[in-house]
Amino acid sequence: MSEPPSTRQTKRNESPRAAAGLRGAMAARLLPQTRFAGPIPWVIAILIALVVVAAAGGLALRNLAETARGDLSNAVTVQIVEADPERRTLETERVAEALAGQDLVRSVRVVPKDELDELLEPWLGESAGSEDLPIPALIDVELSRVAAADEIRALQDYLQESVPGARVDAQSEWLRPVYDALSALQFLALALIALVAFATAAAVWLAARSAFANHSDTVEIIHLLGGTDSQLTGIFQRSVFRDAAFGAVVGLLLGLAAVWLLGQQFEQLDSGMIAGGGLGWTDWFIIGAIPVAGVLLALVTGRITIAVALRKML
């Protein structure tokens, strides 16, 4: 027959000699400790790996968007739409001269026809270089600063006076849908990280509750011998730390392997835009902090779970 809660609480608080004898390894030996037992370490490893992949993807997307914005925020393209090749050439030269005299313009480059043909060849085939196909002339314009929308419209109106067929397109506007998609993917990565963190806390909570329930009789005996709640919490926390640390290290290695394989696949695309999504030292520092954060989350969750379970024994 067990003692009333008040008696158990009195023995917790009024048995300093017994508690002193149960400190350290002696109290820990009363509770069986098995390392890497059960699926919890491997569940944590899988969850940490998912967080590493999601974080690396989110950081790469952020870098890609920032690089693209930085490269295109102060650039516009002027198109000369004219079917007659000779007239198109004259209008292109006239527009280039008009642009060179603008304070907002830093540099002007007429895109050579061979370069245009090379860009269109994957879609049009050999007919890309045909004179029968009226391909608009393009002029790449680098601005001295980021221009507002009204400044772009003013530049458009200015060119219309010289060449009515000239059209100014802000390159950043072309990629606005891409920017929106990248932002959505970044939020998706953050949501995945939050869900995985919740799943990790839930897994540790279930594991700690199960471990406490399996050793509830031993916990009661330790209490009767004068063991304190802090001693018992520390014993269970050490077990949680071992399992979480093992799972975090394995998960980090699995996640880094997945990130490396994905990086190799994207490098084969040989695209300048993809190259802007590389990870820097700050990004790798954030990724390296993920397993540390996972272990801390497991420790806090385990401590709270055991503390609540001990209170319920009163």
Side-chain angles (χ1 to χ4, degrees), residues 44-60:
I44 293 177
I46 294 173
L47 295 175
I48 291 294
L50 290 175
V51 174
V52 169
V53 174
L59 292 171

Side-chain angles (χ1 to χ4, degrees), residues 78-120:
V78 180
Q79 297 186 37
I80 311 298
V81 182
E82 174 58 51
D84 185 11
E86 294 183 0
R87 185 175 179 182
R88 183 169 61 242
T89 301
L90 292 175
E91 291 182 351
T92 302
E93 294 176 353
R94 192 185 311 163
V95 169
E97 293 177 358
L99 288 170
Q102 293 292 306
D103 296 335
L104 184 62
V105 176
R106 174 180 296 173
S107 64
V108 177
R109 187 182 78 93
V110 178
V111 180
K113 187 177 184 305
D114 294 341
E115 187 174 333
L116 289 175
D117 296 342
E118 184 178 353
L119 291 174
L120 295 176

Side-chain angles (χ1 to χ4, degrees), residues 47-61 185-186 188-194 196 255 258-259 262 279 287 290:
L47 295 175
I48 291 294
L50 290 175
V51 174
V52 169
V53 174
L59 292 171
L61 290 173
L185 290 174
Q186 291 179 62
L188 180 61
L190 289 175
L192 178 60
I193 292 173
V196 171
V259 171
L262 290 173
L279 299 176
I287 293 174
I290 290 174

Side-chain angles (χ1 to χ4, degrees), residues 163-230:
V163 179
R167 187 175 67 184
V168 179
D169 293 320
Q171 295 183 8
S172 58
E173 292 298 323
W174 297 356
L175 294 178
R176 185 172 296 278
V178 178
Y179 295 151
D180 295 339
L182 292 177
S183 298
L185 290 174
Q186 291 179 62
F187 284 116
L188 180 61
L190 289 175
L192 178 60
I193 292 173
L195 289 174
V196 171
F198 176 79
T200 303
V204 174
W205 177 72
L206 291 173
R209 283 194 60 184
S210 176
F212 187 87
N214 292 337
H215 301 303
S216 59
D217 294 337
T218 306
V219 170
E220 185 66 22
I221 293 173
I222 294 176
H223 276 156
L224 295 175
L225 293 175
T228 64
D229 288 353
S230 60

Side-chain angles (χ1 to χ4, degrees), residues 264-287:
Q264 294 298 312
Q265 293 297 320
F266 281 109
E267 282 185 0
Q268 294 180 7
L269 297 178
D270 194 21
S271 172
M273 186 174 182
I274 296 298
L279 299 176
W281 287 107
T282 303
D283 302 325
W284 287 115
F285 177 80
I286 294 174
I287 293 174

